[in-house]
Amino acid sequence: MWARLKLKNKILLLFLILSVLPLVLINGIWLRYSQDQLKQAAAEEQELLLNSIAQRINAVLDAQVNGVVSTSQDVDIAALNVEASRLRLLEFSNRENDAVRIALVDRDGNELVVVDDGALLQDLQNVTGTDAFRVVQLVSNKPLIGDVREVEGRPIVTISVPLLSQGNLGSQELTSTEALSRRFGGDIRGALIVDIDLTELWTLVLEAKLGDEGYMYLVDNAGQALVHPNQDVMSEQLNLSFVQEVQKVKEVLRAFNLEETVRSYEAVPVISESESGVSVLGSSFPISQTEWGLVALEPVSSVYGSVNRIALTAFIIFAVSIPLAIILVLIATKTVINPIRELADGVIRMSQGDFSRPIEARGNDELSVLARLFNNMADNLRALLERIRAKNVSLLAEQAKLQAVLDTIADGVIVLDHEQNIVLSNKTMASFVNAQDQSALRGKNWLNVFTLYYEDEPFNSDLLKGDTVYFHDVLMRVGDEQKFIDITAIRILNDPNGIVFILTVQDTTPRRELENMKLDFVSMAAHELRTPLTAISGYLKLINDDETSNEERESFTNLANSNANMLESLINNMLSLSRIERNALVVHKKPVNWSELVREEVESLKFMASTRNIEMEVELPEEPLKVWGDAIALREVLANLINNAVHYSEDNQKVLIKAEQVDDTIKTTVSDHGIGIPERLHSKLFTKYYRAKGGLATNSQGTGIGLFISKSIIDAHGGSINFDSTFGQGSDFYFSVEAYDRNKHRQSESGGDTIGESSNVDWFKK
Ligand code: ADP
């Protein structure tokens, strides 16, 4: 997770963790602590204030009640002495400002004296039905305190005290109604009923200051609000029993001995809810005299007001400063990250081989130093790269040279690595498998490229043992063809380029074929020589036979002669071949009457042709044709072509011998309608010992050297020899040699005879 974050976010997160988090935590703890402190202080203050105000109310009410009680115990008043009572009550009224109406009532409820606002009232009434008068019937020496009511906008409470006869007043407190009735029953003369103005007490309650928003109010023992700062509560005469503190004080007020309870009562402020549903710190205190409850409430918000204000200020400061700080951090990170980015871009550029732009390095911080170091490194790298490139170029040149040298080698060469894969090869090697170029072989295992058999088994790579190994007559298969090769394998030790073997491969197929053809030639030549010789000796015997007729004798002589001709031409051929092989073929050019030579040659072969009923036709221009050449050699060529034409014709066919002048050459053509030559063999016909095999030359005699010799002779003359042939239809063999031009050739002539063979004795040069 952390690793996947971008640097910017990491710094931001670190900033938040290191600075903001502690601040927030400290603030939270401080807030909590301060709130506790404030709450405690507020509770103490509230407790103090509540206690003091409650004590004061208790004290004021006690004083009021005591005042009324002690006045009621005045002799004149107790004796219902009206005159004296007037004075006493006026004095009392003067003394007690809060006693707004003081009435002396007899036991029948008749008002005897009434002091209203410090003045005697004349209009006296009977108060039998009033609440206050009930004190007379209660048979108690205890004052009766009535409900609070509002009179002319002032809160008024009525205290009524029974008037008892003097003698029965005792210090003894009686608790039983029965006892009281027994003791005082007949002695209650009337009552002193005093209306007390509570305005001062109310002001005391209303003006009590509890923090900023705290307040106090009084409820009676039924939970009814007596004085409350909220006018609505007062005007609606709300019962506040639902308020927790009111409930609490109501419970206390129910205590059996209230005064005792109040004396030891301790108000403990706790958090509760106010009548308006606000969370408050509240406490209450009972007023024993009147059975009221004093309630103090201070909203928690007000308790925590100061600290909350500080917290709010802190929050605002946070709210403003954190985004600001984040922006600053972002700006700061940018100043750090941008150079890093530039650095990264630079690295990418350089990794792609672009050293043209260095990384910008402003300032002196660590990143700039790094950028500068990086630029230095890039410079070094570039220099190194250039050196390597230069080296590479020379290496490539070396390689090209090596390849060129390898390609000039006529033998195949392959270089193998330790896995016997081809590292290098030459053109000859590629040509063995008809590959376009040697790069097609690179990287392949050589035994997958070349199919080799050695001693009738597939060539095994394990055979490459020892430092130099020779393999003769290895068979190589390429498609349908097969070649014979000799392999020389040389092991290279510790080559830094991983070269392990260098193999040179020699194609021995042509040599083998030549050897085979030579062998064929020898057996054919022996056969060819023997046949006419056997025939000649046979005919000679028949000629000498006495039973042979003259006609027969002439025929046998012709036959013997024809066979002798064949023998001669055969021997001529063999001699020529030997000359050619010895490079001793020299032609002595002289003017030759070619028309005559052709006729003579045809004449000498006519008999041979006639034995197979083959007619020979000669086509010559009227003007004798003259060639510039060696008569004996050219006659051999002509004899070869005519012999072949007869030889490869069917019986009864025709052979045409034609000579003509074409420009400054004499072209001689020998045409037959024989077996013809298949297209695919055309290119091989003039090769030494070549004899078309198969159906074409089945049973044919011959040595396969005739055309080879003919071509050699014509080439020596600077002429040309060729043929047109359609398989199964016949062949036209033709050759052209220079025509004799008197003007041109005169100087070269060595004089003597212009025609005939006698001058060409040099032909048989030894
Ligand atoms: P060969 O002694 O076998 O005739 P050549 O060199 O004269 O030797 O001829 C080579 C081969 O060419 C022959 O074996 C034959 O197959 C073919 N050939 C030569 N001349 C003809 C021809 N006129 N018609 C058909 N095939 C010919």
Side-chain angles (χ1 to χ4, degrees), residues 644-645 648 672 675-677 685 690-692 696-697 701-708 731 733:
N644 280 349
Y648 299 110
D672 65 65
I675 57 177
I677 302 150
L685 233 51
Y690 184 80
R691 303 197 69 238
L696 171 67
Q701 296 168 326
T703 52
I705 56 169
L707 287 180
F708 169 70
S731 317
F733 278 83

Side-chain angles (χ1 to χ4, degrees), residues 94-317:
N94 276 340
R95 213 173 42 243
E96 297 288 338
N97 281 336
D98 294 340
V100 288
R101 192 177 190 274
I102 306 155
L104 184 67
V105 184
D106 66 13
R107 59 191 297 166
D108 300 321
N110 295 316
E111 287 178 337
L112 300 177
V113 180
V114 175
V115 178
D116 196 349
D117 273 336
L120 284 169
L121 208 69
Q122 297 306 316
D123 184 17
L124 300 176
Q125 289 169 7
N126 186 292
V127 293
T128 318
T130 62
D131 268 354
F133 187 68
R134 270 179 29 241
V135 80
V136 176
Q137 290 118 39
L138 275 179
V139 194
S140 165
N141 64 342
K142 272 191 131 187
L144 183 73
I145 298 169
D147 290 340
V148 177
R149 64 186 192 284
E150 206 178 279
V151 179
E152 293 166 1
R154 290 187 295 185
I156 301 292
V157 72
T158 304
I159 302 170
S160 35
V161 182
L163 295 176
L164 301 175
S165 66
Q166 192 83 36
N168 287 329
L169 284 172
S171 59
Q172 197 180 359
E173 181 104 351
L174 294 175
T175 51
S176 143
T177 317
E178 195 188 342
L180 273 170
S181 141
R182 205 175 344 108
R183 291 196 57 186
F184 309 119
D187 296 328
I188 294 174
R189 296 187 182 150
L192 184 64
I193 298 172
V194 182
D195 285 353
I196 304 284
D197 180 359
L198 295 171
T199 306
E200 220 174 287
L201 280 185
W202 270 205
T203 310
L204 189 68
V205 171
L206 290 177
E207 285 183 353
K209 272 275 153 250
L210 267 178
D212 288 341
E213 292 169 41
Y215 58 93
M216 286 189 187
Y217 58 85
L218 273 171
V219 290
D220 63 15
N221 58 4
Q224 195 75 40
L226 296 173
V227 57
H228 196 288
N230 188 340
Q231 277 311 305
D232 292 343
V233 175
M234 291 311 296
S235 58
E236 281 168 31
Q237 295 195 341
L238 266 185
N239 187 309
L240 299 175
S241 298
F242 65 90
V243 179
Q244 198 178 314
E245 280 306 325
V246 174
Q247 195 64 43
K248 215 155 86 183
V249 80
K250 267 173 75 180
E251 299 274 328
V252 181
L253 288 172
R254 261 181 233 136
F256 174 70
N257 193 343
L258 187 57
E259 266 178 58
E260 196 60 36
T261 308
V262 168
R263 231 170 274 143
S264 60
Y265 189 78
E266 267 180 36
V268 183
V270 290
I271 303 284
S272 64
E273 215 172 75
S274 78
E275 54 279 6
S276 49
V278 176
S279 177
V280 287
L281 180 68
S283 53
S284 53
F285 207 99
I287 308 296
S288 60
Q289 200 53 261
T290 48
E291 293 187 11
W292 296 340
L294 179 64
V295 178
L297 299 176
E298 185 180 3
V300 173
S301 61
S302 149
V303 173
Y304 300 152
S306 55
V307 75
N308 279 356
R309 271 194 298 280
I310 294 173
L312 184 70
T313 317
F315 176 76
I316 292 169
I317 291 170

Side-chain angles (χ1 to χ4, degrees), residues 311-343:
L312 184 70
T313 317
F315 176 76
I316 292 169
I317 291 170
F318 268 140
V320 174
S321 62
I322 287 178
L324 211 72
I326 287 175
I327 291 170
L328 285 177
V329 167
L330 288 181
I331 293 171
T333 39
K334 227 178 174 187
T335 58
V336 177
I337 286 170
N338 277 357
I340 293 178
R341 274 215 189 114
E342 275 173 28
L343 205 65

Side-chain angles (χ1 to χ4, degrees), residues 627-647:
V627 297
W628 177 245
D630 191 315
I632 296 173
L634 291 178
R635 180 190 282 270
E636 193 177 340
V637 173
L638 187 65
N640 272 331
L641 296 188
I642 297 172
N643 268 327
N644 280 349
V646 173
H647 202 96

Side-chain angles (χ1 to χ4, degrees), residues 496-671:
N497 298 314
I499 292 170
V500 179
F501 282 108
I502 296 178
L503 270 55
T504 53
V505 177
Q506 211 178 0
D507 185 2
T508 57
T509 321
R511 199 185 67 212
R512 285 171 70 103
E513 276 179 358
L514 198 66
E515 274 167 11
N516 284 343
M517 285 198 282
K518 248 183 188 165
L519 286 175
D520 281 356
F521 169 77
V522 172
S523 66
M524 286 306 288
H527 176 77
E528 293 285 285
L529 288 172
R530 203 177 58 192
T531 310
L533 265 178
T534 317
I536 290 168
S537 73
Y539 289 134
L540 286 178
K541 267 188 202 147
L542 285 172
I543 288 166
N544 288 329
D545 193 17
D546 295 339
E547 285 179 18
T548 308
S549 66
N550 278 344
E551 264 175 29
E552 282 173 328
R553 224 169 245 136
E554 191 186 336
S555 163
F556 293 150
T557 311
N558 281 335
L559 282 167
N561 198 31
S562 161
N563 278 295
N565 281 344
M566 269 169 66
L567 207 59
E568 187 193 346
S569 94
L570 200 66
I571 289 165
N572 281 344
N573 269 345
M574 287 164 81
L575 287 171
S576 296
L577 179 68
S578 135
R579 269 196 297 275
I580 293 164
E581 289 200 328
R582 283 187 288 119
N583 266 335
L585 178 62
V586 179
V587 289
H588 296 279
K589 289 184 182 176
K590 293 203 165 145
V592 179
N593 186 335
W594 187 246
S595 298
E596 197 182 310
L597 192 149
V598 169
R599 269 192 213 101
E600 276 177 21
E601 189 56 29
V602 170
E603 206 52 41
S604 76
L605 295 173
K606 225 171 197 162
F607 185 77
M608 180 268 297
S610 70
T611 57
R612 291 182 48 218
N613 203 20
I614 288 172
E615 195 186 320
M616 285 203 287
E617 200 177 304
V618 180
E619 195 181 310
L620 290 166
E622 273 181 23
E623 273 294 299
L625 298 169
K626 287 185 179 175
V627 297
W628 177 245
D630 191 315
I632 296 173
L634 291 178
R635 180 190 282 270
E636 193 177 340
V637 173
L638 187 65
N640 272 331
L641 296 188
I642 297 172
N643 268 327
N644 280 349
V646 173
H647 202 96
Y648 299 110
S649 285
E650 304 285 331
D651 289 359
N652 309 318
Q653 285 184 331
K654 249 189 192 172
V655 170
L656 175 67
I657 299 103
K658 183 180 167 190
E660 61 196 320
Q661 173 128 17
V662 178
D663 300 329
D664 51 358
T665 62
I666 304 296
K667 180 180 177 186
T668 309
T669 310
V670 180
S671 309

Side-chain angles (χ1 to χ4, degrees), residues 415-417 423 491-502:
V415 179
L416 305 180
D417 64 12
V423 179
R491 183 188 285 276
I492 308 289
L493 295 173
N494 306 324
D495 182 80
N497 298 314
I499 292 170
V500 179
F501 282 108
I502 296 178

